[in-house]
Amino acid sequence: MSKKSFTRVIASGNHLLTQVKDNQPNLRRRLELGSMGRKPSGSATSKCKGRNRWETRELTVFPSKAWFRGTPWEALIKTVLRLERSVWKRDPKTGMLRGTNETVFWVSSLSGPTPEQWNDHIRRHWRIENGSHYIRDVVFAEDASRIRKTLTSPPACGLSPTTCSGPLAATTSKTPAGAPPSTSITSSLCLR
């Protein structure tokens, strides 16, 4: 998503939450290194259990202060989130467990929500992302994109393929008490 798009969303009284994808290697590396030495403003752990699947999610929230100092993003990105997921899946045929660990980063123009509220926003985002996964990743090969950006560029959001494939799918859902209502839009989450 471009700086212009971030600015427009903020000017409209909304905020964005977007995942830093693997086609942003410099930005991702900056966030990985920065999160090691910074004190978080909060964290939350959640666990969920489904059919033959157990997931633990640890979300750590950081103010973005120094990460974007001296870049065009300094005034736009206020929060950096690090989400560490551990997933165990049982193979129903063999009974064997297989574990995976993943760390993802998110950036947002909003500051203030609790780690639990951020976790809820991200979970709602994935409901939308999973619904458009086939079109975005298979038809448009978004995950295979070789587009590279610099540290001063925004996180990759892949909005163009979605706008080509049809109208943006948006959903508004209930939010926890005290949290701003939110609207999910494809791979970015627009927070009101």
Side-chain angles (χ1 to χ4, degrees):
M1 183 160 291
S2 69
K3 186 176 99 170
K4 186 177 181 180
S5 297
F6 255 78
T7 304
R8 284 183 178 168
V9 169
I10 294 168
S12 72
N14 295 296
H15 292 278
L16 283 175
L17 170 63
T18 190
Q19 184 179 354
V20 176
K21 300 276 187 159
D22 288 338
N23 64 350
Q24 294 277 329
N26 293 335
L27 176 59
R28 182 175 168 84
R29 185 75 180 143
R30 176 184 263 198
L31 296 175
E32 285 172 353
L33 293 173
S35 66
M36 288 180 205
R38 286 191 170 79
K39 182 180 177 184
S41 58
S43 65
T45 301
S46 64
K47 296 181 180 191
C48 66
K49 186 169 99 172
R51 184 175 170 187
N52 292 321
R53 186 177 189 280
W54 298 265
E55 179 181 31
T56 302
R57 302 164 55 89
E58 184 175 338
L59 181 73
T60 310
V61 181
F62 300 90
S64 70
K65 296 176 188 172
W67 264 307
F68 299 99
R69 189 171 291 137
T71 72
W73 296 95
E74 185 174 7
L76 301 174
I77 297 177
K78 303 294 182 197
T79 305
V80 173
L81 307 169
R82 181 184 65 208
L83 179 63
E84 297 172 287
R85 281 190 288 250
S86 297
V87 178
W88 288 92
K89 295 179 184 177
R90 181 187 314 273
D91 183 335
K93 292 179 183 175
T94 65
M96 299 294 291
L97 289 175
R98 185 175 146 257
T100 59
N101 293 305
E102 178 185 28
T103 300
V104 294
F105 288 90
W106 296 73
V107 294
S108 179
S109 59
L110 181 64
S111 60
T114 66
E116 292 80 8
Q117 290 168 326
W118 282 120
N119 222 349
D120 185 53
H121 290 314
I122 291 170
R123 293 294 258 185
R124 272 190 262 130
H125 156 80
W126 279 110
R127 287 184 202 123
I128 300 300
E129 179 74 11
N130 289 340
S132 67
H133 177 76
Y134 182 83
I135 292 171
R136 297 173 64 85
D137 293 338
V138 176
V139 176
F140 291 107
E142 180 183 74
D143 286 347
S145 172
R146 301 296 299 166
I147 297 171
R148 300 289 187 251
K149 304 221 181 234
T150 65
L151 282 176
T152 58
S153 297
C157 292
L159 192 58
S160 297
T162 304
T163 54
C164 293
S165 66
L168 293 174
T171 180
T172 302
S173 57
K174 294 181 180 177
T175 57
S182 65
T183 303
S184 300
I185 301 179
T186 61
S187 70
S188 291
L189 192 64
C190 181
L191 306 171
R192 288 190 268 192

